[in-house]
Amino acid sequence: WWDKQTPKKTERGLVLEHNPGPEHGIVQLLVIALIPDTRVEWECISTHAASSPASAWTGTHFIFDLAERGGRFTAVDFRQTNYDEGSAFFENNKTAWWQVLQNLKRVVEATEWR
């Protein structure tokens, strides 16, 4: 739903790597929390050229909190913490996450769950 992740075991823990394009380079996300049916949290530990929108991600956390709604639905509360809202890439980041989350929604809604 986002990009193909390559898991790597490191001294710090599990790191997910993906390459969203040449303007970004490899993005590395340290898995902070992986609690089934409850929470996924990643910390961006990679560094990027100042010209890359991903440069503003270093040190931020991507948090997906999951909650059951009405016995049939799961709500996803997403937030990116520690992001500098004064960054030149702030609007680009909001738009990119909207697109990524819309893709997640399409994938989940198209999946038959048993």
Side-chain angles (χ1 to χ4, degrees):
W1 56 272
W2 187 8
D3 198 6
K4 183 180 182 329
Q5 300 282 338
T6 302
K8 307 255 176 160
K9 291 189 180 201
T10 72
E11 291 178 4
R12 292 181 68 184
L14 180 62
V15 173
L16 304 175
E17 294 184 348
H18 72 276
N19 188 347
E23 70 276 10
H24 302 295
I26 302 294
V27 174
Q28 296 176 312
L29 305 171
L30 176 66
V31 177
I32 301 296
L34 185 55
I35 305 166
D37 302 324
T38 304
R39 173 179 265 212
V40 174
E41 182 176 350
W42 305 321
E43 177 185 358
C44 184
I45 60 171
S46 53
T47 57
H48 306 270
S51 60
S52 167
S55 65
W57 285 7
T58 303
T60 67
H61 286 234
F62 308 131
I63 302 168
F64 301 83
D65 283 320
L66 310 174
E68 186 177 317
R69 296 283 192 260
R72 284 193 40 156
F73 302 100
T74 299
V76 177
D77 175 28
F78 169 77
R79 62 196 176 283
Q80 182 177 10
T81 63
N82 301 329
Y83 192 92
D84 177 9
E85 293 183 18
S87 164
F89 301 110
F90 183 69
E91 289 302 319
N92 176 279
N93 189 59
K94 284 188 344 184
T95 301
W97 273 116
W98 181 84
Q99 292 169 337
V100 167
L101 293 171
Q102 288 301 310
N103 196 38
L104 173 60
K105 183 178 186 283
R106 279 191 296 277
V107 169
V108 169
E109 288 177 347
T111 302
E112 184 176 328
W113 301 98
R114 295 179 194 257

